[in-house]
Structure formats: structure tokens, C-alpha cells
Amino acid sequence: MSPTSDLLATALAQSGFHPRLPQQRRLYEAAKAAIHQQRLAAGSKLPSSRDLARDLGIARNTVIAAFEQLAAEGYVVSTKGSGTYVADLQAHSASMRGVGAAPQGKPVTRTHGAAASGTTAVARPARLSRRGQELASYAAGPQFEIQPFAPGEPDFSSFPFKLWQRLQNRIWREARNDLLDYGQSGGHLPLRQAITEYLRISRSVKVEVEQVLITAGTQQSLDLCAQLLADAGDTAWVEDPCYWGARRVFQARELKLRPITVDSDGMALDEADLATRPRLIYVTPSHQYPTGAVMSLTRRRDLLEVAVRKDAWILEDDYDSEFRYTGRPLAALQGLDNDDRVLYMGTFSKVLYPGIKVGYLVVPPALIDAFRSALYDLQRPGQLTVQATLTDFITLGHFTTHVRKIRQTYGARRELLRHLLARQLPRNVSISKEESGLHLVVELPDSVDDVALAQRAAALSISVKALSTYYLKPQVRRGLLVGYAYCTPEQITDYGRQLGAVISGAALDRD
Ligand SMILES: Cc1ncc(COP(=O)(O)O)c(C=O)c1O
């Protein structure tokens, strides 16, 4: 085997690529990384596609496709009859800038897309801000196709595509100029009215239409709150374990996070917590993410009182209350608030589809003007045609029908998964009991490494998440988040058996 084949074989073996990533893409990524890191030096010759295919034990067409991609992006140069050579990225970069060669060893980043046209642009080493570097350090890597048991993913196939298209066509046929403008005054008024009514009836939220802003989802709602209500260095109390998206926003806004333990009654403040002074308190009281705990009434009242005493804002993330399978949906914490301390946020990401990027934020009356103008100045919101379509979807009754339908579907899938796992799992493993959401938590003994277990499941194309990774404090509970909404009953049965076997093996080992 040639040294280059050997290098690529090792890179592929150590890469940790997702098992579903096509071979051709793996080889391309491995070669690209080796070129960037100058482990494959500029000017060095790559083995022929035939030799490399033989050395790596893969099809020649796979190698050819990877080489073609590398050539199209300027990483290698193929010369007919002579072979394929690693391109000199540094020299290219320097010539683009009209200066001498870049210092050796500096990372080179590539701007997206320009290469295929033959006008390969190789950018300077990325110079990120301190905040940018911090954010980049959290990068979770490429996202792959959604796989069975991915937590939080709704069933896209149940979305009423045709109906939505009809409603959307009607909006476009009306050719209303006002829907083509930026969204002003907090979003499309009829949608804000429909949401106001929905929140009053279904979630017991105390709300007037002026208080509702349409945002591009919870992430944007949280970011607006962080920007307008806290300064860098201020403290935010967050649940521990915590929704990573909220954590990331607060970190990006340079807030100090104080993780607060979550037990079966939700966020549980102790004396040490109470000695600190939060500006923001982020909670998911209806269905704690990810444990599923429901905040008790006593805790809700106590939290509201603490917020008043500390002069803090409570950010209530009510992301999936539509999915309550037994009993009545719980009232929102905001409905108990008599001091205008709570900012309430919801999203259509789970109940319709994540890419719709429409959410809502209900702010206390004193904050309306500040939030409206900041939303406009910072985001220039748009997508009014989507907002208008969604309005019709709600006001014509389709939303209620859709929720009823998927609630039934998801409830049945939840029960199927629960029974299947319960039959297989040993006594030292339990399954969360609460009756809502899009995932179950399989609770593991402390001695089981849930991250390793999730990786083992990933090798079977099962995308469960390790509970311990959601914690900020070192004391963590171990478990797996297992999503069921996205899976068909057949997939639940098939992959559920495989997952049960993986969990049982690990848990019994530690019994
Ligand atoms: C706790 C929580 N809040 C909110 C969201 C949805 O946020 P967005 O509206 O930004 O899609 C999610 C999505 O996974 C979530 O888990």
C-alpha cells in the first residue's frame, strides 16, 4: 500500500464519520482534511483511482467521484495521462491576495461554492472575534439525515401538504402588496389575533394582541430577550439539564449561566441559588426539556415570587404543550403572573414543521414598544405570506384538526415504544412516565456511560441522545432521549428491539 493510501485509510478509520455518510463523501472529507492540514503536501501525487480503490477496499467509481469533487473544488489537479496532484492552496491563496506565500501551518478556510466555477477563492485564515471563537468551539459537526429515534423531530410526512399548498396559492393569487413588505408592528396582525385567541383558550395565557410578536421561532425570541433584558456578565438561571439552544443564545450574549437542579417538580432552587441575583430565569415549566418534569404549582408560585423579589424576568419556553396525551393541557406559568414578570414563548416548529421558522413571544405591556422596535431594527422580519397562510390554517380550523390527529398518532407511537422497551429492559433501567412531548427518557444507572451507549446506537443508525450531555454541573443523571414521533410503528418495532438489546447489554454489565 502506498503511503498516501495508508494515510487515507488511517484517516478514514479514525474519522468517526457517521455510518450513513456515503463512502465517496467520506473519502472526499478525509482527503480534504489531509490537504488542509498539509499531511498531503502540495504537489504530491495521489495514487491512481484503481490502486486507491484496491487499497481501501472500495469501488473504483467511489474513488473517481471523490477525486472529481476534490478537483471541482480546487483541492487537486488532474492531468490527463499524468495523474492527480494535490493543489498548492497556499500559493493560490497568496496569488489571490497578491502577496507572498502564507506562513506554513496556518489553517486555510475555503469560501463556499466559488470553487466549482473555476474561480476558486481561498480565504485568509478565519479571524473570529473572541465570542465567535467561543461559539465555534461548540460546533457539533455536520448534521446528517434524521434517523429513527432522533428526539424532538416531528413526523414530517403527516403534514397536510396539499391543504397548505391550496391555502398558500390563494394568498399568492390575491397578490397583496402588503404581504411582500417587511413585517412591521410585531408581525401579521391576523396571525397575532389568532395566536392571542389560541393562547387564551388553550394555554390560559393572559394576553392582548398588542403583546404578541411574531418571531422566527423560539431561538429568536430568546435572543431578543437576552439582548433587551440583560447585559454581558449578568446572570441567567437555567435549568440543569437544559435545552442546548437556550444555553447557546445566553452564552453568545455573554451571560453568566447558573445551572439550577431540576427534580420531578421542575426547577429546584436551593439557598446558594437564592443568594445569587439573576436577570433572567429560563424555564420550561409545562414539560421540562429534556427530563419531562412538570413544574408543580407550589414551585411556579415560588418562582414568580422570587422573580419579583430579585427584579428578574422569567422566560417561559412552552415549546410542545400541544403534545399532552392524557388529561387536559396544563396552564402556562404566565397565566399565574400578576406582576408582569413573565415573557412567554411558543413555536410552530414542533406542531407543524421545524423549517417553518415561525414562533411567538408574549411580552408584558411595559415591554411592547422596546421589543417591537428591536425586532424590526435587528431582524427586519418578513415571511408575511407564510404568516398569512398560517393564519388561514388556524382560523379555518385546520390547526386544531392537525393537532388532534398527530397527538393521536404520537400517543400511539409513544405507547408502542414504551411497551417494547419495558419488556426488554432490566430492572435497573426505568422509562420516564410523564405523558407528553416527543421523546421518552430511558433512565440508566449512574455507572453506565450514556454517551458511549448513544454512540453504540448510532452505529445501528439510531439517533438517541445522551442525557448527561445536557447538564452543566458535573453531577449528572445518565439516560437516553428516545424520540418516537418521527418513527413509523414498523421502525419503532424494528429499531426499538435493537435499541433495547443495546441498552440491556450495557445496563446488565453494570448490574
Ligand atoms: C426546549 C425547546 N424549545 C424550543 C425549541 C424550538 O425552537 P425553534 O422555535 O427555534 O425551532 C426546541 C426545539 O428543539 C426545544 O427543544
Side-chain angles (χ1 to χ4, degrees):
M1 192 185 281
S2 75
T4 304
S5 294
D6 196 32
L7 185 147
L8 289 171
T10 309
L12 284 167
Q14 294 174 347
S15 62
F17 285 134
H18 195 277
R20 279 236 183 135
L21 192 69
Q23 287 272 21
Q24 148 197 342
R25 176 84 191 280
R26 289 189 211 192
L27 178 56
Y28 156 82
E29 293 289 354
K32 189 171 79 170
I35 293 169
H36 273 308
Q37 292 155 6
Q38 297 175 6
R39 286 182 293 125
L40 278 180
S44 59
K45 188 175 181 187
L46 296 183
S48 70
S49 55
R50 190 186 308 276
D51 289 351
L52 188 57
R54 188 200 55 229
D55 293 345
L56 299 179
I58 59 180
R60 188 174 171 210
N61 277 346
T62 304
V63 177
I64 292 172
F67 277 12
E68 281 175 358
Q69 184 70 24
L70 290 164
E73 296 187 11
Y75 287 99
V76 299
V77 180
S78 289
T79 320
K80 219 176 169 126
S82 161
T84 303
Y85 295 84
V86 175
D88 187 351
L89 299 186
Q90 307 282 1
H92 189 92
S93 163
S95 74
M96 292 288 288
R97 300 200 304 270
V99 295
Q104 287 286 310
K106 285 262 173 81
V108 176
T109 49
R110 174 169 285 272
T111 49
H112 226 66
S117 64
T119 57
T120 310
V122 182
R124 288 183 186 84
R127 208 169 63 75
L128 297 171
S129 65
R130 186 175 40 75
R131 191 187 308 104
Q133 286 174 22
E134 174 101 2
L135 281 173
S137 74
Y138 297 122
Q143 296 289 306
F144 296 100
E145 204 183 326
I146 303 163
Q147 300 188 123
F149 299 148
E153 294 297 345
D155 180 3
F156 303 121
S157 66
S158 68
F159 185 71
F161 293 92
K162 289 222 167 79
L163 169 64
W164 187 268
Q165 189 185 26
R166 252 197 340 267
L167 298 175
Q168 194 168 282
N169 286 348
R170 199 172 62 77
I171 299 287
W172 280 109
R173 265 201 308 275
E174 286 174 3
R176 286 170 47 190
N177 286 344
D178 61 321
L179 294 181
L180 303 185
D181 200 357
Y182 292 123
Q184 294 171 12
S185 316
H188 189 51
L189 181 61
L191 179 59
R192 289 168 44 223
Q193 282 162 338
I195 289 171
T196 303
E197 210 164 303
Y198 169 69
L199 293 179
R200 278 185 192 150
I201 296 168
S202 301
R203 311 291 308 117
S204 307
V205 172
K206 291 191 275 199
V207 55
E208 299 297 331
V209 68
E210 296 74 28
Q211 294 172 258
V212 178
L213 286 99
I214 307 297
T215 63
T218 301
Q219 208 66 358
Q220 192 180 78
S221 301
L222 286 168
D223 198 30
L224 272 176
C225 293
Q227 288 192 76
L228 288 171
L229 304 176
D231 290 308
D234 282 345
T235 298
W237 286 354
V238 296
E239 298 165 320
D240 197 34
C242 183
Y243 169 47
W244 62 268
R247 213 159 105 180
R248 220 45 103 232
V249 165
F250 300 147
Q251 282 165 331
R253 295 294 166 197
E254 301 182 63
L255 304 189
K256 249 189 338 237
L257 300 188
R258 181 165 184 94
I260 313 282
T261 303
V262 168
D263 64 18
S264 56
D265 284 334
M267 182 181 254
L269 292 160
D270 64 20
E271 288 302 317
D273 299 324
L274 288 168
T276 64
R277 199 174 178 83
R279 282 293 290 157
L280 304 180
I281 306 172
Y282 169 75
V283 279
T284 48
S286 301
H287 186 231
Q288 203 275 329
Y289 191 88
T291 65
V294 177
M295 190 183 276
S296 65
L297 188 57
T298 314
R299 289 264 175 89
R300 288 175 190 232
R301 293 217 169 99
D302 289 350
L303 191 64
L304 288 165
E305 204 186 293
V306 169
V308 174
R309 213 164 359 110
K310 301 270 181 191
D311 193 18
W313 299 103
I314 296 177
L315 312 184
E316 178 177 12
D317 178 359
D318 200 10
Y319 61 102
D320 72 351
S321 282
E322 290 79 13
F323 306 119
R324 187 154 189 88
Y325 306 111
T326 55
R328 267 180 58 74
L330 298 161
L333 168 68
Q334 193 266 11
L336 299 173
D337 175 21
N338 295 319
D339 297 281
D340 289 340
R341 285 279 130 201
V342 178
L343 290 92
Y344 173 92
M345 56 198 80
T347 178
F348 290 97
S349 284
K350 304 286 162 192
V351 72
L352 294 182
Y353 60 99
I356 192 168
K357 290 310 299 173
V358 177
Y360 41 91
L361 174 63
V362 178
V363 301
L367 296 178
I368 294 171
D369 290 344
F371 271 74
R372 268 198 199 176
S373 63
L375 176 65
Y376 189 73
D377 290 350
L378 300 177
Q379 310 293 344
R380 282 287 189 281
Q383 298 288 12
L384 293 179
T385 54
V386 174
Q387 294 185 20
T389 307
L390 179 54
T391 310
D392 288 350
F393 190 74
I394 297 172
T395 54
L396 297 173
H398 304 303
F399 181 75
T400 310
T401 309
H402 179 64
V403 170
R404 201 180 304 129
K405 189 176 136 213
I406 55 175
R407 196 187 284 145
Q408 261 176 14
T409 307
Y410 295 171
R413 290 178 184 184
R414 180 184 186 84
E415 279 318 292
L416 177 62
L417 176 64
R418 200 204 293 271
H419 279 118
L420 203 88
L421 291 178
R423 275 213 311 272
Q424 296 178 80
L425 297 180
R427 268 182 302 126
N428 60 353
V429 176
S430 51
I431 303 171
S432 56
K433 298 207 173 44
E434 78 292 335
E435 291 295 337
S436 52
L438 300 178
H439 70 263
L440 290 171
V441 182
V442 174
E443 293 157 4
L444 299 163
D446 289 345
S447 54
V448 175
D449 180 349
D450 54 359
V451 175
L453 202 56
Q455 279 167 358
R456 226 172 296 162
L460 301 169
S461 303
I462 294 174
S463 280
V464 290
K465 291 234 173 80
L467 178 60
S468 62
T469 60
Y470 290 82
Y471 282 85
L472 280 154
K473 283 196 262 205
Q475 315 87 303
V476 300
R477 279 164 54 201
R478 309 275 171 187
L480 293 178
L481 273 63
V482 188
Y484 43 80
Y486 181 73
C487 292
T488 61
E490 293 72 31
Q491 284 176 319
I492 291 177
T493 309
D494 181 13
Y495 288 102
R497 284 208 185 98
Q498 297 183 50
L499 180 64
V502 169
I503 298 172
S504 302
L508 283 171
D509 281 351
R510 306 298 155 105
D511 210 5

